[in-house]
Amino acid sequence: MAGLKRKESPAVKSFAGGVQKKLKTNIAHIKREKRPVSEAEAETDSDPIVESDTTEHSGEDDGVSWPSDDEETTVDRKERMSAVKEGEVRRTGKTTKGIDKPAIVNAAANSTSSRDAHAKQKALAQERRAAKPNADSVARSKKIWERLRRKSHVPLEERKVLVAELFEIITGRVKEFVFKHDSVRVIQTALKYANVDQRKMIAKELKGEYRGLAESKYAKFLVGKLLVHGDPEIRDLIMPEFYGHVRRMIKHPEGSWILDDIYRGIATPKQKAILLREWYGAEFAIFKTSGEDLVSSDLKELLDHHPEKRTPITRSLHELVNQLVQKKTTGFTMLHDAMLQYFLNLQPAGEEAVEFIELLKGDEEGDLLKNLAFTKSGAQLVCLALAYGNAKDRKHILKTYKNTIQILAFDNHGHQVLLAAFDVIDDTVLTSKSIFPELLGKDSAPEQQHETIMSYLVHLNARIPLLYLFSGKAKSIVTPEDLGMLDEVHKIRATTSRKEPETRRKELLKALSPTLLSFIAANAETLIQTSFGCLFMTEVLLGAEGEKQKALKAIAALANGGEQVQASLESPAAGRMLKTLVVGGRYNPATKAIDTVEPPLGFHEVLYAKIQDMVLEWATGGNSFVIVGLLEAAGFPARDALRETLAEHRKELSKAANDTTPAQKASAEVKSRELNGAKARQVGNKGTQLLLQKLDQ
């Protein structure tokens, strides 16, 4: 039978469920007759047939064949089961008696024995569980947990009763629950619904076990919950148990993550300093800080006080950092802080610094550099590596961030890496091809590309790398943290970069400007509605390289828009944008003059052509300062005509200058309510007042 291979006739295939097939003789010239079924055949029918890998099909050598397509085979499951019980086999509609009863009995016995065996195994497992300590308590607590974990399905009163019962079970026996993968979840649930005193009870019962819990695959989450749901007392109870074990725990597959989570989000500055100092060598783990209130992890300060310790400290730091890098565990904030401390205390052009940059580049998958970019210390380290590295190092680092540019732009720290790349890489073609296509989504459809750029404008971090090349270090764009990093990078690039900063900036702007100018031309009406959009249009149009007339005309055309557009134009943000574009530059507080851009924008001519018939309305409305800007704009050819128009309507201007504007009236009502009915000071349109002064000059 080992050489047989099953075939399946259409009649058999038509039955749902796996109906066992029966063998027939394959002698075609012999008429099939009724015959008794032998014991061997009965056993064959009850046992599964093993197919042979060496037999392609049934043939004359087999001595056995399966029903052909022409033969009619009918199998009725219920009749067949009845036939087995009665000791009969039904074949082709005919009944044949004679099956040996012992074979049937053996098959039934095997089935019964299998069920009995499973039942015995289940009973044995239950006995073993029952024999364990606190079996009843664990079983009951797990049932309570199963109910409590579905919070929305448990009424408040029932939950209070279950929580009270749960604490009756675990009080005094918390340690017996926490090191098991199933029962530790019970403690986590108890902690979730516990009050302050109950949490402190759990924390005190586990005192002395927290390092072991942190290194447990399941119990580590309990430590995290205790710290998140706890208070400073619980935190100060847990943290000292990690002191002296940092170097071991940071290499532990389980303990490292909980240790870093605590370091990053829960530990106080003093506790963080104590943990980080242990990276500097075993001496700092064995000899504690003797209760000093101020503990510093600044390696430079430490080496200034103990210069003789420089070699052992740097060796210890490098060894531990290298071990974690080789293990591919490079996502720890503590690791990034230690790496920054190490790099800051190396000779910039020395052998150790070069080796360290090679260590950063050595990760083939680039996970180290990618992880570094998303923490404060890590991003600073990458920026310094870009500043100190040579052209080859910078190219390698930039290549590592392929397909990560947009994520970097939105990150609190990652966008600094892009700013540093803009300022230090001399190969502007490389920078343009590596960053701008992914940053702007140039490979996507125009609509999708515009949505991507729009998402940058409304995000405080993402708009910085988009506008930095246009605005420079403008405080309205760049954060104080970014300014500090850029100042440091600019000092370094004076000795490591060859290209002039302004030349580098203009070359990058030539690659970036066309996309943003076309975006403004297509979306001016949407951009004018938000302060972010107005700021974006101002910075791009003042700093862009290339043809700007299409974008300027799109903005000027808004003057003839509908009511909603007119309302947007009268907003303070839109007014500042229009006046800045009209005068053609930014106001310089130091010189008290306008720093006009080259070549001149010429927006005053474009805008005046659109509002020539609405000058009085603009002069007495919310855009009065735009008209002031037209009178002040250098090179405005229609200045005399504008003055004549204003002079003809001097009476209307005087009235607007003295009357309260709608915005002032609304503000006065608010102040009146705040001052219990006292009248607030009412003033007129300040822009109109300036226009009258200029007409008198």
Side-chain angles (χ1 to χ4, degrees), residues 120-136:
K120 289 180 180 179
Q121 291 176 357
K122 187 175 181 180
L124 183 60
Q126 291 177 350
E127 291 177 3
R128 289 175 178 172
R129 284 195 294 266
K132 293 181 179 180
N134 304 316
D136 295 338

Side-chain angles (χ1 to χ4, degrees), residues 300-333:
K300 185 179 185 303
E301 179 181 339
L302 187 62
L303 294 179
D304 289 342
H305 287 87
H306 305 282
E308 72 282 358
K309 296 182 179 180
R310 178 180 183 82
T311 300
I313 288 177
T314 55
R315 184 190 302 117
S316 176
L317 258 176
H318 186 273
E319 288 178 356
L320 187 52
V321 167
N322 188 53
Q323 288 178 13
L324 295 177
V325 171
Q326 298 304 321
K327 290 177 64 177
K328 307 292 184 182
T329 53
T330 57
F332 301 134
T333 303

Side-chain angles (χ1 to χ4, degrees), residues 606-664:
V606 179
L607 180 63
Y608 186 70
K610 297 292 184 181
I611 67 171
Q612 189 172 2
D613 298 333
M614 301 181 291
V615 168
L616 180 61
E617 182 181 346
W618 279 54
T620 58
N623 288 319
S624 56
F625 282 98
V626 178
I627 306 301
V628 174
L630 287 173
L631 293 177
E632 295 176 348
F636 179 47
R639 180 183 294 105
D640 293 339
L642 177 61
R643 289 179 65 92
E644 291 178 3
T645 302
L646 294 174
E648 292 175 0
H649 299 86
R650 190 181 186 92
K651 183 177 180 181
E652 290 87 345
L653 294 177
S654 299
K655 185 175 185 302
N658 296 320
D659 290 348
T660 305
T661 64
Q664 292 171 347

Side-chain angles (χ1 to χ4, degrees), residues 667-682:
S667 176
E669 291 177 356
V670 174
K671 291 182 179 180
S672 177
R673 289 195 298 268
E674 293 177 352
L675 299 175
N676 297 324
K679 292 184 178 181
R681 183 180 179 184
Q682 297 181 357

Side-chain angles (χ1 to χ4, degrees), residues 279 330-341 368 371-375 377-378 381:
W279 287 63
T330 57
F332 301 134
T333 303
M334 190 184 298
L335 169 65
H336 302 169
D337 288 352
M339 294 177 72
L340 178 63
Q341 290 296 324
L368 174 57
N371 287 327
L372 284 169
F374 297 101
T375 63
S377 297
L381 177 59

